Amino acid sequence: MSKIVIVGGGFGGIRAVMDLEAKNLPDTKITLISDKPHFEYHAALYRVVTGRSPLEVCVPLREIFAVKDIEVVEDSIVGVNLKERTLMGISGSHYKFDFLVLALGSETAYFNIPGLSELSYGFKSIVEALRLKRHLHEVFKACEQESSEAKVCAAHIVVVGGGASGVEAAGELAIYARKLAYKYGLDPSLVTIDLIERASRLLAAMPEDVSLRVAGRLRELGVNLFLNRTVVQEEIQEVYFKDMRIKTNTLIWAAGMKPNRLYAEIENLILDDKGRVIVDEFLRAKGFDNVFVIGDAAATPYAGMARTAIKDGGFAAQTILKIINKKEISPYAPKRPSYAVPVGPGWAAVLIGRTRVYGAIGWLLRRLADLRFFLSILPVRKAIIAFRSSKTLCESCSICLPGSETSTAVGSS
C-alpha cells in the first residue's frame, strides 16, 4: 500500500488532498496532518480584527472531508527524516510515508528588531486576529479615564507593511477604529491610522498605477502614508524609525513573513537565501523524488500567494498520481496569479492579467473569488453558509470560542 502524507491544512495542503482523493486510488492511504482541527481562510482574517466573527473564516476539516476516505490527524510535526521516510509529531506519534507533501506555510518574521515580537500585533492566524481585536477594545475603553495626551496615543494605530495584508488592515481600521471611538465615548477626530512602508510605494508586487490608485483610496479613508521608512526599535508606547518616532499603543506588524521554521530543521533540504526550499522542475525537494514542497516555502515565482499554493497543491497531487500509475510527469509551469486587494468596506483593487478593476465592482469580484474557493472545498449548501456573513459551520471550534485568544497557532499553506 502506498502511503501519501500531506503536512499542513492550508490552501495547498487541502487542494493536494482533495485532488488525490478524487482519483480513488486502490491500495493507497492518504493522511492529512494539521496542527489545527480547522482550515483558516487567511484571505479574510483582516475582517476578524475589525469586528467580524472569527467563525466566518474558520472551516472545520471534518466538514471538508466529511464524506471522503481521508485520515485527518491533528498533530504538530516536530521531526522529519527524509531518508528513513518518517515524521515525528509533538504527540510522540510516528508517521511513515512513501510520498510526502510539505505544505507548512509561513510565519511572521521580525528581522531581529528589538521589542517587535513582544510588543507588536499581527493577524496571521485567528488567534492573532482575536488578540489584536481584544487589544483595540481594551485600549479604546481605557480612554475614558485617560488624559488628553494619553487619549491621542491610544487612538493612534500604526500598521507597518505596505503589502496586501497591511493595506487591507489599514483600510478596514480606518472605518472600524472610528466606530470604536463612538462606542467608547472618544472623539473620533482623535483617531489616527498610519501605514508605514520601507519601499518607495505600496504593493510592490503590483504595477505602479495600481499602487497609486490604492494609495489614493487609503488617503480618502484618512490613512496617513509614510514611505521609505524602516522600523529600528519598538518600546512600550513608542516605535522608532531611522528618522522619526511615533507614540502609539498599537503597532500592527504586517511587514515580514518567512517559511515555517521546521523547514530549516529538516536535514538534507537545500534552502535559498530567503529560507525557502530549492525544488526541481516537479516541485520536489532537490535530491528527493518523493518529497514535494508547495506553497510559501517553495523557491518558485509567486510563492506566498494563496492562488499559488492552491496551484502547487493540485500540481503535486497530479504528479504523485502519474508516478503511481507509471505515467510520464510534466514540469511545473509558474503562473502569475490575479490580485484582489480590499481597501476598506465595499472597495477593492483587482488585477487580472492586464485588466484593472476598482471600487464596488472590484469588491464584488473579490467576494466571488471567495465564494469560488469555498465551492471548491465544500458542498454547495455548506459553501454558501461559510460564505455568508454571520453564518458559520464552526460553532464548536475551540480556537474560535471566547477566551481562546491566549492559545497559539502556526500557519499552513
Side-chain angles (χ1 to χ4, degrees), residues 279-338:
V279 294
D280 66 12
E281 66 269 36
F282 306 108
L283 289 186
R284 298 180 298 195
K286 194 169 183 179
F288 294 89
D289 59 8
N290 65 330
V291 178
F292 294 80
V293 179
I294 65 174
D296 298 356
T300 61
Y302 318 122
M305 301 287 294
R307 291 303 308 173
T308 300
I310 293 169
K311 175 181 170 62
D312 290 1
F315 176 85
Q318 292 305 312
T319 303
I320 292 171
L321 289 168
K322 288 179 180 178
I323 294 172
I324 290 175
N325 291 320
K326 300 185 181 344
K327 294 182 178 180
E328 183 179 355
I329 59 178
S330 305
Y332 177 76
K335 181 180 178 181
R336 181 184 294 275
S338 56

Side-chain angles (χ1 to χ4, degrees), residues 192-232:
T192 301
I193 310 293
D194 292 341
L195 178 59
I196 315 293
E197 168 56 36
R198 66 180 300 175
S200 59
R201 65 181 179 91
L202 304 176
L203 301 173
M206 300 179 73
E208 187 171 1
D209 62 300
V210 179
S211 298
L212 292 173
R213 188 69 177 268
V214 167
R217 167 63 176 170
L218 285 169
R219 291 190 177 99
E220 289 175 3
L221 293 174
V223 177
N224 302 315
L225 304 182
F226 294 89
L227 306 177
N228 298 302
R229 297 291 200 281
T230 302
V231 176
V232 295

Side-chain angles (χ1 to χ4, degrees), residues 1-5 27-30 96-100:
M1 174 178 286
S2 295
K3 296 180 180 179
I4 306 173
V5 177
D27 298 320
T28 302
K29 180 181 180 181
I30 302 170
K96 298 289 292 184
F97 65 85
D98 296 300
F99 293 94
L100 174 65

Side-chain angles (χ1 to χ4, degrees), residues 127-146:
V127 170
E128 287 187 347
L130 287 171
R131 175 174 171 260
L132 173 55
K133 175 183 174 181
R134 182 179 63 181
H135 164 78
L136 290 171
H137 279 267
E138 290 174 347
V139 166
F140 276 74
K141 180 173 174 49
C143 283
E144 296 173 348
Q145 313 296 328
E146 299 288 356

Side-chain angles (χ1 to χ4, degrees), residues 30 34 39 65 69 91 184 191 209 213 216 252 258 277 294 322 330 382 384:
I30 302 170
S34 175
F39 164 75
F65 303 114
D69 188 19
S91 64
Y184 292 113
V191 172
D209 62 300
R213 188 69 177 268
I252 300 171
K258 62 181 180 180
V277 180
I294 65 174
K322 288 179 180 178
S330 305
K382 290 183 178 180
I384 293 174

Side-chain angles (χ1 to χ4, degrees), residues 253-271:
W253 183 253
M257 301 303 300
K258 62 181 180 180
N260 187 290
R261 67 193 68 188
L262 182 62
Y263 288 106
E265 299 171 3
I266 299 175
E267 190 175 357
N268 299 310
L269 284 185
I270 303 173
L271 309 181

